[in-house]
Amino acid sequence: GQQLNQSPQSMFIQEGEDVSMNCTSSSIFNTWLWYKQEPGEGPVLLIALYKAGELTSNGRLTAQFGITRKDSFLNISASIPSDVGIYFCAGQDTSYGKLTFGQGTILTVHP
Amino acid sequence: NAGVTQTPKFQVLKTGQSMTLQCAQDMNHEYMSWYRQDPGMGLRLIHYSVGAGITDQGEVPNGYNVSRSTTEDFPLRLLSAAPSQTSVYFCASGTGGYGYTFGSGTRLTVV
């Protein structure tokens, strides 16, 4: 089946630093999604990407859909303590309703 | 607008017991799906539905049944609970390629 490799697995950074994480896939996706999960909650959608090469921002977050359609990255600029959580990438092919998730990146921000 | 509602939030089962995890959405979404989340493994798709009366298996379907008689509801049934089914279960709904909304999860322990 499809697999997503997300890296890094965890990050410990100082408040104000920039963060970068990425996902690579063994197969092509038509849509890339980035989610954030806080303790005790379900994932919340941050950014959705629909076209190869697309670069999309949401406040301090920027994500890109790789040209090969097999990868995506998420950048967070000027991190703040409330950025703490687990960030997941997810890919969707032509089968709507099915998402394939990466293993997640655990982000810790020290004040 | 409640979004995606999952019940119960917590459950403890004995090995061999059966139960149903409830999921309801009020957004008239076509697509609904169930995921389980285990440490270090991201979210894995159990079953999904592309509309009322239509369901299909995901990556880890064994031991689980689903049905979708209405657009709003998508219950997940554990037929005979096993310790390996101890996990956090998330239900999600969406309209296709535009991201999915997740519930807050059901934390299940099988002893």
Side-chain angles (χ1 to χ4, degrees):
Chain A
Q2 297 167 328
Q3 293 198 0
L4 286 186
N5 292 312
Q6 185 173 347
S7 63
Q9 290 187 345
S10 61
M11 303 183 73
F12 299 85
I13 63 170
Q14 292 292 129
E15 183 176 1
E17 291 183 356
D18 296 343
V19 172
S20 183
M21 58 192 78
N22 68 82
C23 273
T24 58
S25 170
S26 58
S27 52
I28 290 172
F29 287 113
N30 290 332
T31 304
W32 281 95
L33 306 167
W34 284 92
Y35 285 87
K36 178 186 178 186
Q37 185 180 30
E38 298 186 5
E41 298 297 327
V44 174
L45 183 65
L46 299 173
I47 291 181
L49 302 157
Y50 304 109
K51 289 172 52 177
E54 179 181 357
L55 185 71
T56 298
S57 294
N58 178 7
R60 293 178 295 105
L61 278 61
T62 301
Q64 184 158 29
F65 191 144
I67 290 291
T68 65
R69 295 166 64 193
K70 292 184 177 182
D71 62 315
S72 177
F73 72 75
L74 174 71
N75 286 343
I76 305 173
S77 63
S79 59
I80 58 178
S82 63
D83 289 334
V84 165
I86 306 176
Y87 291 79
F88 290 100
C89 61
Q92 179 176 264
D93 57 18
T94 55
S95 303
Y96 289 147
K98 297 173 60 176
L99 294 180
T100 301
F101 279 84
Q103 303 95 323
T105 296
I106 302 171
L107 178 63
T108 303
V109 180
H110 295 287
Chain B
N1 195 343
V4 178
T5 302
Q6 289 185 239
T7 55
K9 292 192 180 299
F10 301 93
Q11 183 71 50
V12 179
L13 287 179
K14 292 183 179 179
T15 298
Q17 287 185 317
S18 62
M19 79 160 294
T20 299
L21 280 62
Q22 302 292 343
C23 176
Q25 54 97 2
D26 61 359
M27 298 171 283
N28 202 33
H29 286 166
E30 287 179 84
Y31 303 98
M32 296 187 74
S33 46
W34 277 100
Y35 296 84
R36 60 177 289 173
Q37 184 175 25
D38 302 294
M41 301 189 72
L43 287 88
R44 294 181 293 168
L45 182 66
I46 305 171
H47 286 285
Y48 68 103
S49 169
V50 300
I54 306 170
T55 63
D56 205 348
Q57 296 181 351
E59 181 185 355
V60 288
N62 292 340
Y64 308 95
N65 272 358
V66 292
S67 60
R68 185 140 177 234
S69 56
T70 67
T71 299
E72 294 79 18
D73 299 297
F74 191 42
L76 178 72
R77 298 181 188 86
L78 278 70
L79 309 173
S80 177
S84 60
Q85 293 179 304
T86 293
S87 188
V88 182
Y89 292 84
F90 289 100
C91 178
S93 74
T95 56
Y98 301 102
Y100 295 83
T101 301
F102 282 78
S104 57
T106 294
R107 284 143 188 84
L108 176 68
T109 302
V110 182
V111 298

